[in-house]
């Protein structure tokens, strides 16, 4: 049996429940993993609230690190006793242990602690695909990145610095702006007190940025388009303020033949080899010291509702982990 967070209905943090669930034995292509630390991600809130509807009752959580206890037939990249970490679907990572497909579970280098791994797999693999697998971005390019002091954001700031990319970061308080700058943002904008479009135009001397990475959604989408140079790329990858409303394609033409994409991590990691390659790239960045993972909030698993409240109320910085 393993303590597991489930929801029986969509709603606020109060719908999160904990129950003991049988774990079972791994079948072909599966492992059983005991979690040391679980990660918290904004997507967990979308699933809980119903913005991303789920078949109910459902387990939650997509990221964790721990020790492999058993492997099923055909699993060759993991053995019992191995340290491992993952970002994977289906949800179920908010638990003490689970049986799951082995394909997206990655052997964890000794130099990376369990809490670091649980805090970075989903967020770090996202940064990996945003900077390397979405649109060509080269040294010297300029990227506008919203929520730069968040979990994904602080990793993005450091990743950009390590690649010679100029990152303009936005954040909701002056303290968060300072944190983003410390982690590598070349410029920061408090988008609650400043007009970020105007500031981006000033910073880029009227040119606009090459790429926008926007996970805020409804509140920032249109103003973010106004920050792009002609032929620039808008990567809309989240909805922290709500889903982007339908828009007219002519908005892209009138602003200079802009491009828009709406990627998800799990399209990129659905190929097991690609997933392992992305993870190795992330591990190299962390082991080399180019990227450090900052955990600013830790909650026992049974306080998962408080963790959701903190994330949704913009009270957090960096990553948040849950301790089963
Ligand atoms: P964060 O730690 O970045 O938390 C979200 C941040 O968004 C808040 O701290 C806040 O920062 C900002 N924000 C702005 N408006 C709102 C609002 N109305 N409500 C809540 N927050 C708001 O979360 P994560 O690092 O877990 O994820 C960052 C984003 O990336 C999320 O939108 C997530 O869905 C997306 N994502 C997308 C993936 C994909 O593949 N498509 C994969 C992983 C993450 P501030 O106060 O500075 O404004």
């Amino acid at each position: 049996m393993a303590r597991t967070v489930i929801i029986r209905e969509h709603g606020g943090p109060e719908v999160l429940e904990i129950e003991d669930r049988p774990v079972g034995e791994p079948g072909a292509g599966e492992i059983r993993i005991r979690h040391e630390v679980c990660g918290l991600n904004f997507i967990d809130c979308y699933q809980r609230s119903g913005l991303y509807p789920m078949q109910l009752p459902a387990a939650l959580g997509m990221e964790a690190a721990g020790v492999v206890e058993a492997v099923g037939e055909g699993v060759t990249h993991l053995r019992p006793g191995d340290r491992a970490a993952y970002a994977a679907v289906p949800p179920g990572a908010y638990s003490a242990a689970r049986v799951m497909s082995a394909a997206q579970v990655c052997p964890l280098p000794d130099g990376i602690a369990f809490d670091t791994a649980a805090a970075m797999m989903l967020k770090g693999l996202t940064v990996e695909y945003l900077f390397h697998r979405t649109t060509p971005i080269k040294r010297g390019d300029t990227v506008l990145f919203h929520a730069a002091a968040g979990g994904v954001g602080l990793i993005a700031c450091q990743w950009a610095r390590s690649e010679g990319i100029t990152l303009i970061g936005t954040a909701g308080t002056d303290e968060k702006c300072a944190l983003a700058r410390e982690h590598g943002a070349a410029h920061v904008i408090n988008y609650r007190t400043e007009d970020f479009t105007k500031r981006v135009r000033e910073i880029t001397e009227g040119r606009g940025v090459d790429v926008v990475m926007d996970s805020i959604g409804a509140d920032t989408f249109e103003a973010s388009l106004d920050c792009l140079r002609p032929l620039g790329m808008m990567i809309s990858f989240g909805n922290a303020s709500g889903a982007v409303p339908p828009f007219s394609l002519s908005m892209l033409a009138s602003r200079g033949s802009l491009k828009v994409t709406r990627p998800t991590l799990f399209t990129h990691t659905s190929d097991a080899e690609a997933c392992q390659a992305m993870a190795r790239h992330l591990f190299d960045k962390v082991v080399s010291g180019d990227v450090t993972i900052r955990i600013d909030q830790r909650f026992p698993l049974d306080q998962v509702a408080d963790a959701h409240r903190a994330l949704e109320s913009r009270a957090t910085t960096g990553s948040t982990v849950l301790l089963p």
Side-chain angles (χ1 to χ4, degrees):
M1 302 292 273
R3 282 156 60 72
T4 304
V5 175
I6 61 147
I7 56 168
R8 293 177 207 281
E9 56 181 330
H10 289 300
E14 68 283 355
V15 303
L16 296 160
E17 293 176 35
I18 299 194
E19 68 175 28
D20 282 327
R21 286 200 154 182
V23 180
E25 294 301 320
E30 293 182 331
I31 61 159
R32 188 173 74 234
I33 182 166
R34 184 147 298 275
H35 294 148
E36 295 283 336
V37 188
C38 316
L40 179 75
N41 289 285
F42 222 92
I43 190 171
D44 309 341
C45 302
Y46 305 147
Q47 291 178 333
R48 188 212 68 225
S49 71
L51 180 66
Y52 295 174
M54 305 172 83
Q55 189 153 6
L56 301 172
L60 286 190
M62 297 197 154
E63 171 182 56
V67 177
V68 177
E69 286 188 335
V71 307
E73 199 188 318
V75 176
T76 53
H77 69 292
L78 293 166
R79 284 172 307 182
D82 281 355
R83 303 168 75 250
Y86 67 87
V89 281
Y94 287 0
S95 60
R98 71 187 292 198
V99 166
M100 64 185 296
S101 165
Q104 277 70 36
V105 182
C106 307
L108 186 62
D110 287 338
I112 302 180
F114 287 124
D115 57 354
T116 301
M120 77 177 194
M121 289 303 287
L122 196 146
K123 301 164 191 76
L125 293 176
T126 298
V127 172
E128 205 273 352
Y129 88 71
L130 288 174
F131 281 90
H132 300 279
R133 295 166 201 260
T134 307
T135 188
I137 305 178
K138 56 183 190 314
R139 187 166 284 275
D141 282 355
T142 302
V143 171
L144 173 63
F145 197 102
H146 291 306
V152 178
L154 288 183
I155 299 174
C157 290
Q158 299 172 80
W159 202 291
R161 178 171 60 189
S162 74
E163 301 275 331
I165 294 159
T166 302
L167 184 146
I168 304 173
T170 63
T173 66
D174 291 345
E175 293 72 27
K176 287 185 177 188
C177 284
L179 197 60
R181 192 187 270 286
E182 259 171 52
H183 284 76
H187 307 272
V188 287
I189 305 169
N190 181 337
Y191 56 3
R192 284 192 169 184
T193 58
E194 295 178 273
D195 175 343
F196 72 82
T197 309
K198 190 164 157 258
R199 284 285 296 127
V200 165
R201 289 284 161 191
E202 283 166 9
I203 292 165
T204 59
E205 296 173 342
R207 177 176 173 273
V209 296
D210 301 289
V211 178
V212 178
M213 299 181 183
D214 185 338
S215 66
I216 306 302
D219 285 356
T220 51
F221 181 77
E222 197 167 340
S224 291
L225 294 180
D226 291 329
C227 295
L228 282 164
R229 65 160 168 83
L231 302 171
M233 168 64 91
M234 166 67 150
I235 307 176
S236 173
F237 72 104
N239 346 254
S241 68
V244 175
F247 65 95
S248 165
L249 284 178
S250 63
M251 280 169 56
L252 306 180
S254 61
R255 287 167 173 80
S257 307
L258 301 183
K259 292 163 248 179
V260 177
T261 182
R262 176 53 175 97
T264 75
L265 172 62
F266 298 109
T267 318
H268 291 82
T269 55
S270 60
D271 178 85
E273 265 179 46
C275 177
Q276 300 292 335
M278 290 167 71
R280 283 194 296 274
H281 195 181
L282 171 61
F283 295 155
D284 286 348
K285 283 279 187 195
V286 172
V287 170
S288 71
D290 279 349
V291 172
T292 53
I293 305 300
R294 192 178 158 109
I295 303 172
D296 284 334
Q297 299 78 216
R298 294 169 196 264
F299 292 86
L301 188 64
D302 57 11
Q303 288 174 19
V304 60
D306 291 336
H308 274 227
R309 283 186 197 102
L311 187 61
E312 286 177 297
S313 65
R314 306 172 75 163
T316 63
T317 50
S319 294
T320 303
V321 295
L322 302 169
L323 306 167

